Amino acid sequence: MKLIDHVYKKIAGWFGDIKYYHYPLFLVYDPTDYYVTAKDYEEFVKNLEKGDIVLRTYDHYLDGFVIPGFYSHAALYIGDGVLVHSCGHTGVAKISPFDFAKCDGLAIVRPLLGYDAINKACKYVLEQIGKEYDYWFNFNNENTYCCTELIYWAYKDTLNVQPIMIKKFFGLAKQEVISPDDYLTAEKCKLIWESSYCRNNRKNINKLSEK
């Protein structure tokens, strides 16, 4: 079982670093070119407030096949130029807005909550730093965290965002997850800002899905 767990974690970690192109068909590992512009970044840091849920997305990455929705990663801004997130490479860790913005698209979602709830959430994620990433997406405990699992537990008593059952691996398995996009439509959350790539492409995707 430990060997299977180790192999699964390695594959899942590589999966999020591979970018694909339909034509001509080829794969690129850990590319470094992004759509977020200098103007996007300037607006991004100007709009950040303590307690904000920050989403990001990448274009053409393989993990987009298994993570439902437009956005694929989430972090919590705790103020003073620091975000806390959980990813496969680091587990739960601090990250700067600059490093988090090395992506193709960004969004800021603001929980419409009081100072006490915001401070409690920020304190919670800080206390989880150093814990491992949850490759199995188990929302039932606080031992390990995927990115949205960390946000879920931080705001568990104040935001009504619950895991939903999805099919993965071409329908062969089911898994309870919270996608980053779920915070866009949460009752007590408000979309504050999106980068230019997201403003153009997320709306187009939504229009296609409605047809």
Side-chain angles (χ1 to χ4, degrees):
M1 184 63 186
K2 288 185 178 180
L3 177 61
I4 294 174
D5 184 66
H6 177 74
V7 172
Y8 174 78
K9 288 179 179 179
K10 284 291 185 182
I11 293 173
W14 292 332
F15 204 66
D17 291 331
I18 296 175
K19 196 171 188 176
Y20 74 94
Y21 296 88
H22 288 296
Y23 183 84
L25 181 61
F26 66 93
L27 305 177
V28 178
Y29 181 76
D30 197 20
T32 56
D33 56 318
Y34 308 111
Y35 292 152
V36 168
T37 65
K39 183 180 179 182
D40 285 331
Y41 180 73
E42 183 180 349
E43 292 176 357
F44 171 54
V45 294
K46 183 174 67 175
N47 280 283
L48 280 174
E49 290 187 6
K50 184 177 181 180
D52 284 346
I53 299 168
V54 183
L55 311 179
R56 74 180 180 189
T57 188
Y58 293 93
D59 189 32
H60 294 298
Y61 273 74
L62 288 180
D63 59 2
F65 283 115
V66 295
I67 300 173
F70 182 80
Y71 290 99
S72 58
H73 192 51
L76 185 68
Y77 183 65
I78 63 170
D80 298 322
V82 178
L83 295 112
V84 178
H85 71 151
S86 184
C87 71
H89 296 295
T90 63
V92 181
K94 294 180 180 180
I95 186 171
S96 69
F98 180 79
D99 286 330
F100 193 84
K102 293 177 180 177
C103 60
D104 292 322
L106 288 164
I108 298 173
V109 176
R110 185 156 298 151
L112 304 178
L113 303 170
Y115 291 113
D116 289 344
I118 295 295
N119 289 333
K120 181 180 178 181
C122 293
K123 180 182 178 182
Y124 179 87
V125 296
L126 279 171
E127 291 173 347
Q128 311 314 311
I129 287 176
K131 290 190 177 181
E132 293 185 358
Y133 184 78
D134 183 7
Y135 288 96
W136 299 101
F137 303 101
N138 182 0
F139 282 76
N140 295 322
N141 66 67
E142 301 168 77
N143 299 323
T144 56
Y145 300 90
C146 66
C147 65
T148 53
E149 193 177 351
L150 183 65
I151 308 297
Y152 166 73
W153 281 101
Y155 283 118
K156 188 175 185 298
D157 297 329
T158 48
L159 291 181
N160 187 25
V161 179
Q162 299 296 324
I164 60 171
M165 189 70 70
I166 66 164
K167 293 180 180 180
K168 63 179 186 178
F169 302 123
F170 307 102
L172 298 177
K174 293 182 179 180
Q175 180 71 58
E176 275 195 333
V177 301
I178 293 174
S179 76
D181 280 26
D182 289 337
Y183 290 100
L184 293 171
T185 56
E187 183 179 351
K188 295 181 181 179
C189 288
K190 180 179 180 181
L191 176 62
I192 299 298
W193 174 87
E194 284 184 297
S195 64
S196 53
Y197 171 82
C198 300
R199 289 194 297 269
N200 294 329
N201 289 275
R202 187 171 69 85
K203 292 178 181 178
N204 291 337
I205 289 173
N206 289 342
K207 286 178 181 177
L208 287 173
S209 65
E210 290 170 359
K211 292 181 178 179

